[in-house]
Structure formats: structure tokens, C-alpha cells
Amino acid sequence: MSGTSTATGRLRRRVATVRARTNRWVVLVVLCTSLLLVALDSTILYVALPSVTEDLRPTSVELLWIGDAYPLICASLLILFGTLGDRVGRRRILLLGYALFGAASALAVLADSAQVLILARALLGIGGAMIMPATLSILRDVFPDRRERAVAIGVWTAVAAVGAATGPVLGGFLVEHFWWGSVFLINIPLMAVMLPLCRILVPESKGRADGPWDLFGALLAALGVLGVVYGIKELGIGRDPLDAAAVLPFLAGLALLVLFVRRQRRRAHPLIDMRLFSRAAFSTSVGCIVIAMLALVGLELIAVQYLQLVLGMSPLETGLRMLPLTFAAMIAGVIGSATLRRIGPRAMVACGFTLTACAVLLLCLMGEHDRPWLLGTGFVLLGFGFQSTLFGAYESMLTEAPADDAGGAAAIGETSYQLGAGMGIALLGSVMNAAYAPGLTHVTGVPAAASGAAGHSLGEAYQVAARLGGGAGAALRDAARAAFVHGLHVTLVVSAVLLFLGAVAALRLPRRMECEAPAAGDAQVREARGSSRAESSSVG
């Protein structure tokens, strides 16, 4: 009887192991689908803002918060929910994120005032902060083998890039054919499907549960990141570098983050083990993520303005013109695992930075007239290089972190992504403004006051030119276009310098991709084995 029970237990363990290893790719599909929705929502609203303005009549401050509430709240809560998932269960946090994301989307669809829409966007940010680190930390647990995990991370990063890049295309299509609420409406049926699928297919996993969860530390991190990101965004909209509205939140956030780090170093059971940053591969990967986003996100926004305001494209045409970047990013993500095994993290990230820098310099040939082949080639190289950089950095960062700290590590990576994006918008936006405004100081027939107003942005310059009319208006419009293109070239050069610095920083990454056999298998296999052993012992 005992021999029969033992054989039955072994058979059950083998079946559970095969089932778990087969289902992990299904789990990847579920995780990437949810990530796609979050990535889409980060950019899909921007093309709908004119329609929102016409319908809800928000003030300038309310309009700013409609756009910024989502990324600000999401960035500030990533560490909180990433570390909480390690304690209470990552799938549990993911399911709560799905439910909140769907409910917030319904509230946004029904919003009849700017205040309600801002609230809905803030709730979407909370849901996004639950979903993003949970997907990456579950992926770390489901794929214990580094080779397979590299493939999964390649797909994950490609989906994130596709979501962010296709957001404007999808948003432009929906706004042109329906109404602005449709950009939120698509989330509701998808989340209704994702909730039961995730409950059935995605395994629960947890990290370290030793000691109490540091709620006060999590709040310190949330408020600190919120202050820093808010200050950076305020600087990015053209405020004076010494303006208290931007400087004070930034400094306060920085002080809170310093307190958070000191608190984590003193605690016996920290939220995030700060010793991770003493590992060269981890700290360098985080730095590379920041540099990559710093160099490219602000540049992407400027490129959108170039396509729309200089070349006169519609939002939908702009999104379609940037599709080569999306396709190149997808290809880079798909082949990223094989590339990483062949050349190693150091060469992959460094070459990705270098290729992206060369693509940026190639785009310096852009002028006031459309050059489709130049833009297409530049965007393909840009997407391939950028995705290779992010893939190599994320894979190295997540592999270097212990499985028990996967939620915290994923939150650090996502927070670095958001911080780099905010810093890029502020830095490159400031460079663009500094290079653009001087070109409008001495335009024949244009008063000084009008030149000063036109120097704020190309869109405002067009408005001023329309009011002036006649020869002066035409001269101002031509001068503004030329000044914008000059500013774009300067910004591209600065971005290329940052990317080359990133390539140098990547030299601290490991030369080879070291793969070790998984010690205990993934979470599903461990759970299945545990239950099988319990059943076997009870029968015996």
C-alpha cells in the first residue's frame, strides 16, 4: 500500500511539474495583456485632451492635472505596492489592481466634470501602481530559469513599448470616430475578462514575510517620489529653475527619500534591501534605465510636436508615422534573449545605447520639410536600440535581485523608469526652449511683446502669427518653424551625448550571461509538490 501511494505521489508530482511548466507561457500572455492596458493608458489620453477641453471646459490647472494625475500617482505608489505584494501575495495585489483599474475606467467614461475625471485618473494611477510591479515580480517567480526568463522579459518590455507607442494611434482613431470617453471605455470589458483569467491561471507567490511590513517607510517612499516627480514635471513646463512651486516639492521629496533610505538601512526587516545597490550589476542597470528614459522620453514628445506642428500631420498620422519605432521595438524584444546569450549584458546594453545615439544623430538631418525615408530609418534604429537597452537593463536588474525581493526590485525598476521620463521631459524641454526662443527675438515687423509670447512654444507662435496677420504674421510663422527645427537639432545632440554616457556606464555590467539551474523550480511546481507530499503522507 505504501509503495502504491509513493508511486501515485511521484506521478502526481510529474504531472503537476509538466502542467506548471506548460502554463507559465500562458501566464506570460495574461501578464503582458494587463501590462499592455496600463502602458496604453499612460499615453492614450494626450490626443484626446482637445476634445476633453471642449466638452468639460477645465481650467488650465485642471487640464494639467487631468494629464498628470495618472503618472504622478502611479510613480509614487510603485514601491508601496511592489513591496506589499511581496508580503501579502503578488497575485492578490494584481487582482485588486485589475478591479480598481476597471472601476476607475468606468468612472472616467461617466465623468461630467473635470474634477471627476481627475479623480478617475488618480484611481487609474493607483490601479496601475498595483499592476506594473506585480506583473514583473510574478514573471520573476514563474520563470526561475534565466534563459526562459530572458525570453519572457523580452516579450514584457516589447509589450510595454508597443502599448506606450500605439496609445496615440489608438487614441486618435477613437477620438476621430467616437468621443473622448471611448479611450477609457475599452478598458472595462478587457479588465472584466482579465480578472477571472488571472484568478485561474496565475499562481500566487510571495517574498520574504519575516517581520512586520514597514507602512511608515512605504508612505515615506510614496511621498518622496511624489514630491520629486512633481517638482521635475513643474520644471518641465517651463518654470524658472528657482520657482518655489517646483523647487520646494522637489527638495521635500528628496529629503523624504533620504530619510527612507536611512530608515531601511537601520531596520532588521526593511522594505527594500539597500545592499542591492552595492551590487554593480543592479545599480548599473537601474542607472541605465534612468539614462535611457532621460534621453528619449522628452525627445519623443518634441518629435510629436515636430510631426504635427512643423510637418502639419494629424494626431492619427503622427501615430502611424511612428509605427516603425514600435515594430523595431517588438523585434528587439523578441530576439533580445538570443542576443543576450550571445553577447552578454555589457555588450548588449552598451551597443543599444550606441545604436540609439547614432539614430538620434541621424535625425539631426530633419528639416522643415518631410523626409519619410530619413524619419523611418531613424525611428527603426531608435526603436531597436532603445528596446535592446531597456531589455538588457531590466533583465540584469531583475536577475541580480533575490526572488524574495522581486516585488521591491520590480518597483525600483519601474520607479527609475518614471523618474527618468520626468527628468527627460524637464531637461530636454528646457534645452529645447533655450535653443528655440532666441530665434524669435528679432523678426522684422513683429513687436517685442509678440516675439516674447511666440518664444514660449511653437503652438503659441502660430497663434500670435495668426493674430498679427499679413507679412509680419507670415514672417513670425516662418521664423518660429526655423527656430523650432534648430532647437530640435540642439536637443538631439544633447540627447546623443546622454546616450553615449549611458554606453560608458553600461561597461560595469557583467560581460557574460551567467545561467544557473533553478534551485527549487517555480512557484507553481513548489506548490504542486507540497500538496502532493501532503496527499501522499496522508494516504500512507
Side-chain angles (χ1 to χ4, degrees), residues 30-41 70 93-106 123-132 135 183-199:
V30 175
L31 295 178
C32 286
T33 303
S34 59
L35 176 67
L36 179 64
L37 292 176
V38 175
L40 276 171
D41 216 71
Y70 178 89
I93 295 297
L94 185 61
L95 290 171
L96 289 173
Y98 286 162
L100 182 57
F101 207 85
S105 298
L123 293 175
L124 283 168
I126 298 174
M130 292 179 174
I131 294 171
M132 292 176 71
T135 59
V183 303
F184 300 106
L185 186 62
I186 60 173
N187 294 336
I188 299 173
L190 291 174
M191 284 301 174
V193 173
M194 294 301 298
L195 268 168
L197 282 180
C198 179
R199 181 68 181 83

Side-chain angles (χ1 to χ4, degrees), residues 65 69 71 76 143 166 199 336:
W65 278 105
S76 64
F143 291 90
T166 56
R199 181 68 181 83

Side-chain angles (χ1 to χ4, degrees), residues 134-188:
T135 59
L136 196 54
S137 54
I138 292 173
L139 185 151
R140 170 71 172 84
D141 192 73
V142 172
F143 291 90
D145 180 74
R146 186 172 184 181
R147 295 179 183 88
E148 291 187 343
R149 185 167 64 245
V151 175
I153 293 176
V155 175
W156 186 89
T157 54
V159 167
V162 168
T166 56
V169 181
L170 181 59
F173 174 82
L174 291 173
V175 171
E176 286 186 13
H177 292 84
F178 304 100
W179 93 111
W180 62 264
S182 61
V183 303
F184 300 106
L185 186 62
I186 60 173
N187 294 336
I188 299 173

Side-chain angles (χ1 to χ4, degrees), residues 147-524:
R147 295 179 183 88
E148 291 187 343
R149 185 167 64 245
V151 175
I153 293 176
V155 175
W156 186 89
T157 54
V159 167
V162 168
T166 56
V169 181
L170 181 59
F173 174 82
L174 291 173
V175 171
E176 286 186 13
H177 292 84
F178 304 100
W179 93 111
W180 62 264
S182 61
V183 303
F184 300 106
L185 186 62
I186 60 173
N187 294 336
I188 299 173
L190 291 174
M191 284 301 174
V193 173
M194 294 301 298
L195 268 168
L197 282 180
C198 179
R199 181 68 181 83
I200 295 169
L201 298 174
V202 177
E204 183 60 282
S205 66
K206 295 182 181 180
R208 290 182 294 105
D210 49 344
W213 184 61
D214 184 12
L215 175 60
F216 182 70
L219 293 176
L220 275 180
L223 293 174
V225 173
L226 179 63
V228 169
V229 175
Y230 178 78
I232 290 172
K233 283 184 172 290
E234 287 295 295
L235 290 172
I237 62 175
R239 288 188 182 273
D240 188 281
L242 299 179
D243 193 331
V247 174
L248 291 181
F250 178 83
L251 293 179
L254 205 58
L256 290 174
L257 289 179
V258 170
L259 290 176
F260 170 75
V261 171
R262 294 183 63 181
R263 179 180 176 86
Q264 298 310 299
R265 285 178 173 173
R266 289 197 306 265
R267 289 182 63 86
H269 306 291
L271 283 176
I272 296 174
D273 188 353
M274 290 299 161
R275 290 175 296 181
L276 282 173
F277 287 94
S278 65
R279 302 181 181 184
F282 186 87
S283 57
T284 301
S285 297
V286 170
C288 287
I289 293 171
V290 173
I291 293 174
M293 298 307 299
L294 175 66
L296 288 174
V297 168
L299 182 61
E300 182 178 352
L301 292 177
I302 295 170
V304 169
Q305 293 180 52
Y306 169 78
L307 293 173
Q308 291 187 5
L309 298 178
V310 176
L311 300 185
M313 297 182 183
S314 68
L316 181 57
E317 289 172 334
T318 298
L320 292 173
R321 181 60 71 88
M322 298 186 74
L323 280 181
L325 188 152
T326 304
F327 293 140
M330 291 174 59
I331 294 171
V334 171
I335 69 173
S337 175
T339 306
L340 187 65
R341 289 197 302 270
R342 186 174 299 111
I343 67 177
R346 179 187 300 179
M348 184 171 187
V349 177
C351 291
F353 269 124
T354 303
L355 179 61
T356 309
C358 292
V360 168
L361 292 176
L362 176 64
L363 292 175
C364 286
L365 298 176
M366 293 188 302
E368 296 182 41
H369 303 286
D370 191 10
R371 302 179 69 179
W373 288 105
L374 172 66
L375 288 175
T377 302
F379 284 158
V380 166
L381 297 177
L382 195 67
F384 195 91
F386 179 56
Q387 186 64 22
S388 298
T389 299
L390 280 187
F391 169 78
Y394 265 110
E395 198 281 336
S396 297
M397 180 204 71
L398 202 61
T399 296
E400 193 67 20
D404 286 342
D405 294 318
I412 290 173
E414 293 300 317
T415 304
S416 303
Y417 186 101
Q418 297 290 343
L419 284 174
M423 292 167 63
I425 293 172
L427 175 63
L428 296 186
S430 299
V431 171
M432 179 70 194
N433 290 335
Y436 164 76
L440 301 178
T441 54
H442 302 291
V443 181
T444 304
V446 177
S451 295
H456 295 156
S457 68
L458 182 57
E460 193 164 348
Y462 284 173
Q463 294 175 3
V464 174
R467 288 197 298 267
L468 288 175
L476 179 60
R477 187 180 181 88
D478 292 341
R481 284 165 55 92
F484 185 90
V485 171
H486 169 71
L488 176 62
H489 292 164
V490 173
T491 306
L492 288 168
V493 171
V494 172
S495 181
V497 171
L498 291 172
L499 291 165
F500 281 125
L501 290 176
V504 174
L507 298 179
R508 297 183 69 236
L509 290 172
R511 186 184 299 275
R512 294 183 178 85
M513 178 184 176
E514 301 293 342
C515 297
E516 298 179 358
D522 58 43
Q524 290 172 303

